Amino acid sequence: MQNDQALTIGTDILHQQGRMLDEQRWDDWLNLFTDECEYWVPAWTSETRLTQDPDSEVSLIYYDLRSRLADRVWRVGSGQSVANDPMPRTCHFVSNINVDECSDSLIKLFSCFRVDYHVNKKSDAFFGHYHHELTPAADGNGWQISKQKIIMMNDYIPTMMDFYLV
Amino acid sequence: MNSPTESPLIQRPEDLDKLLVDDVNNGQFKVHRDLYRDPALFELELKHVFESNWVFLAHETQIPEPHDYLNVHIARQPVLIMRDGDGNLGAFLNICPHKGALVCQNESGNKKFHVCPYHGWTFNSAGENKLIKDREQGQYTADFDSLSHGLTRLASLENYRGFLFGSLNPDVEPLRDYLDGIHHFLDMIIDQSPDGAEVIPGRSYYTFDANWKMQLENCVDAYHLTSTHPSFMTITASRASGGSEFRNIDIADFVNPDVPAGNYTFRNGHNAIWIDGNPEVKPLYAQYDELVERVGKIKADLMMKTVNFTVFPNLQFSVNACIQMRVMKPLEVDKTEMRSFCVGPKGEPKELRKQRIHQFEDFFNPTGLATPDDSKVYESVQYGLAAHSASASGLGHERGIRNVIQGPDDYAIELGLNPATSSSGGSELQDETVFHASYREIVERMKSGIAQELDHAK
């Protein structure tokens, strides 16, 4: 696996992910992840330190199964959550994509994100860094996300944050 | 003469009479909507509720080591809590006595010395001034030299079994007396481990655009659960049936119509609600037998219930599968900052701690499956309250009003409590009288604050 080939694969997945979330194509978005994926938004414990261990420290979001993400997706579309009614409109931007490591079985990526959103006549944004690990898809068709770590820089949260806002 | 407030309409204690219709015997308890929307009343609350009596600051496990520090607030006042070199706790205004800059800029950390970034005045972790830059050349007076120039120590700081409370007022009753009644519920958390409780690292801070009393009420509002959190209810139900490897907090624990429930209010605005739940979902359940032996069956059984309580005015706990500690900080009449922490017993086995943490994240985080719905509803209520054409007071404090009694009920007597009021019955009662004590306390403190100021002005 060449670096530029990994960059093409990674860039495509990250751009797809942003677009799927913006277009609320939730099932497509879930299919980007492996069954046993780790989805982790660590919390800050001070201005400079992030939580390091999701099992002994409290994260903002932590799941180690895609089915947990599916719960959240269901909630958003259920009509039973006032926090998601009306749904914020979102714009995902991903840039500065770096390949940190690549082989035929693993691609590690770093990137920067910003998600602007608008709801109830107000606009705001979340921004930070993504760390991704991609592995070949189980069906042999392309690559899937096996780890997605989201470091959210602005963690003074106005009202709420959900998976589609980072 | 200084006026008690800037509002010409609020100058005497009796100007606050309209805020409460408190006539429980005739089935009425009404809170005037101005208490959620009038900036002049909000100023009075900050001054007479938050800045004149005990407020919760921090838990000592947030600053365990010598020279550890943590920045918190008493309403608008920045407060720096530090341990000195011997590990003694001190709390100070985080304000340089020279020009008023924040001496410590950071949320938390460990430092022997704090140097003011403006002119370099330096303070040690005991709050003492250790350096006034170029003092000898400063042509200061003897008066200046006679002062210590240390950080201003909080008028009152006390520690209740690890929970630190402070006050700007030196004339507050002893903390243990202030907490009387609600301290049983703090004990219920602390005594889960022989070594006490700890705050687990990893906090979330968030804001909502609504009055702080939306949160004050919601924590002990059993009535909202089925209507505000149905999505969470459905998810937990499907997880339970799917045999998932960790079962999360089940909303059925809160609203099962067949289980006993009740609530108590105490002097000083504190309150608590309890409901029988499914103890086996709690990480703590594994230690039930040990708890019975150590604290007795009555207390151990209370630890197995769902209990939410308020240590008035700014500290709340939700104790169900896990323990959430919330600290409220009113920012504006219609804006509130929340700090949310996960609390657990010290020495908890690793697997149980993991379960506790992930249950906590799922329900309580502002990035979780339930709290966003609460925050959004608070904002919705605040929006509605701005509509002056609506009735001046709402109907949100009268559910259960025919059920509430003065003094303890049978379960309170069993627990050894002496509450001001008790209300118990089936969990579908979802009582609203539990809010009364806090409102009485808020209005009483504002009235007596105004009376004192008028007295001083004479």
Side-chain angles (χ1 to χ4, degrees), chain A residues 43-47 49 51 53-65 67-68 71-72 74-75 78 80-86 119-122 152 155-162, chain B residues 105-108 200-209 228 230-231 234-235 238-239 244-246 331 337 342 353-354 357-358 360-362 365-370 372-373 375-377 379 383:
Chain A
W44 293 90
T45 62
S46 69
E47 282 94 344
R49 185 186 173 277
T51 52
D53 174 10
D55 291 337
S56 66
E57 298 178 300
V58 181
S59 305
L60 292 174
I61 302 178
Y62 182 79
Y63 296 116
D64 55 6
L65 283 175
S67 57
R68 300 257 176 264
D71 283 346
R72 297 191 75 117
W74 174 84
R75 175 172 182 268
S78 68
Q80 296 181 15
S81 164
V82 64
N84 297 289
D85 179 24
V119 67
N120 293 337
K121 301 174 187 168
K122 281 190 285 195
M152 203 169 86
D155 68 331
Y156 192 70
I157 296 169
T159 313
M160 59 164 286
M161 191 281 270
D162 212 327
Chain B
Q105 316 295 315
N106 297 304
E107 180 182 323
S108 60
I200 301 168
R203 81 290 188 275
S204 47
Y205 293 178
Y206 61 102
T207 59
F208 54 79
D209 292 335
T228 306
S231 68
T234 309
I235 287 171
S238 78
R239 281 180 185 169
S244 63
E245 84 287 2
F246 71 83
L331 299 175
E337 176 188 296
C342 182
R353 178 55 61 92
K354 175 181 165 182
I357 286 171
H358 295 320
F360 176 90
E361 290 160 350
D362 238 19
N365 270 352
T367 50
L369 297 170
D373 290 325
S375 298
K376 201 68 182 292
V377 162
E379 295 182 349
Y383 196 82

Side-chain angles (χ1 to χ4, degrees), chain B residues 40-110:
Chain B
L41 291 171
F42 178 72
E43 289 297 311
L44 279 179
E45 278 183 343
L46 289 186
K47 204 162 152 184
H48 301 302
V49 176
F50 285 84
E51 295 174 352
S52 304
N53 212 325
W54 290 110
V55 301
F56 174 72
L57 299 176
H59 190 264
E60 64 180 9
T61 56
Q62 293 176 273
I63 36 171
E65 301 298 328
H67 308 299
D68 275 356
Y69 67 87
L70 178 70
N71 261 307
V72 294
H73 283 82
I74 294 181
R76 291 165 292 201
Q77 325 298 320
V79 172
L80 178 62
I81 308 176
M82 297 191 279
R83 279 191 197 269
D84 68 15
D86 297 324
N88 300 311
L89 287 159
F92 307 87
L93 291 183
N94 182 17
I95 296 171
C96 183
H98 179 226
K99 288 271 188 176
L102 290 177
V103 170
C104 173
Q105 316 295 315
N106 297 304
E107 180 182 323
S108 60
N110 184 285

